[in-house]
Amino acid sequence: GTNEAARRVVYRVEVGKISLRHEGLGEYSAVGMLLHMGDDFACETLARWLDCGPEPVREAALYSAGRSFDPRVAEALVGALDDRNLSGASSCRHELRYCDHAALSLTRMLGNPVEFDFAPEEPERDVLIAQLKAWWEANRATIDWEGLRKAAKEAEAERNR
């Protein structure tokens, strides 16, 4: 079925035998496929891609992971908050780092405990990232993952009305 085909694509991409383009997928489509699957395999793959995925898959994963609502994915995003390397992407005002993408996805996933966006200068974004890391350490054990998933589904249904 679909999940088995997805597993084959992921395996072939990760062992470097084939590119996503060869499979007719863009990196955002591949990440979207994992988000749609939502099973253990998908969440573990997404977490792995957040940490050390092949480029440009990692950037797509960092940008999109906020829709996962999975603690393994959240942990991988928290780990990426320390990656100050430039991602190759930019906002209208700044070159973006991997940590910026991770912070935006994590704040979206967690219901915006810290108001993060790409607009401030880098030192201000670093302060917000530090606040997000502190929030995570103080609250990670009590996060209601099911409640976050439910709220996201309700918000999506409301947008689609």
Side-chain angles (χ1 to χ4, degrees):
T2 303
N3 286 359
E4 189 53 41
R7 289 175 185 353
R8 282 195 305 275
V9 168
V10 166
Y11 173 76
R12 292 168 72 186
V13 167
E14 287 187 351
V15 298
K17 292 187 177 182
I18 198 160
S19 72
L20 288 170
R21 300 278 182 224
H22 182 81
E23 287 290 327
L25 289 172
E27 50 277 356
Y28 286 89
S29 297
V31 171
M33 171 187 68
L34 294 175
L35 290 168
H36 176 74
M37 286 171 55
D39 62 6
D40 283 340
F41 170 81
C43 292
E44 289 164 5
T45 300
L46 188 55
R48 191 169 54 252
W49 285 0
L50 289 166
D51 181 43
C52 60
E55 291 299 339
V57 174
R58 183 175 185 229
E59 183 180 331
L62 284 165
Y63 184 80
S64 304
R67 299 179 316 191
S68 170
F69 307 104
D70 182 89
R72 295 166 290 193
V73 174
E75 290 284 353
L77 284 169
V78 170
L81 293 175
D82 292 324
D83 188 343
R84 301 285 193 257
N85 292 309
L86 294 176
S87 69
S90 62
S91 70
C92 59
R93 298 177 56 192
H94 309 290
E95 293 292 316
L96 298 175
R97 305 162 299 172
Y98 289 113
C99 59
D100 297 321
H101 292 290
L104 187 62
S105 281
L106 190 60
T107 57
R108 288 178 176 167
M109 178 189 290
L110 300 173
N112 295 317
V114 172
E115 293 293 325
F116 185 90
D117 64 41
F118 297 146
E121 296 293 327
E122 190 173 300
E124 294 170 67
R125 292 193 317 266
D126 287 342
V127 168
L128 295 171
I129 289 170
Q131 290 172 358
L132 181 58
K133 289 166 83 174
W135 185 94
W136 174 258
E137 286 304 316
N139 295 283
R140 69 196 284 179
T142 60
I143 294 171
D144 177 8
W145 294 103
E146 190 55 41
L148 290 171
R149 282 185 208 95
K150 183 179 177 186
K153 285 182 183 180
E154 290 171 357
E156 184 176 339
E158 186 66 29
R159 280 191 305 271
N160 292 332
R161 286 186 191 180

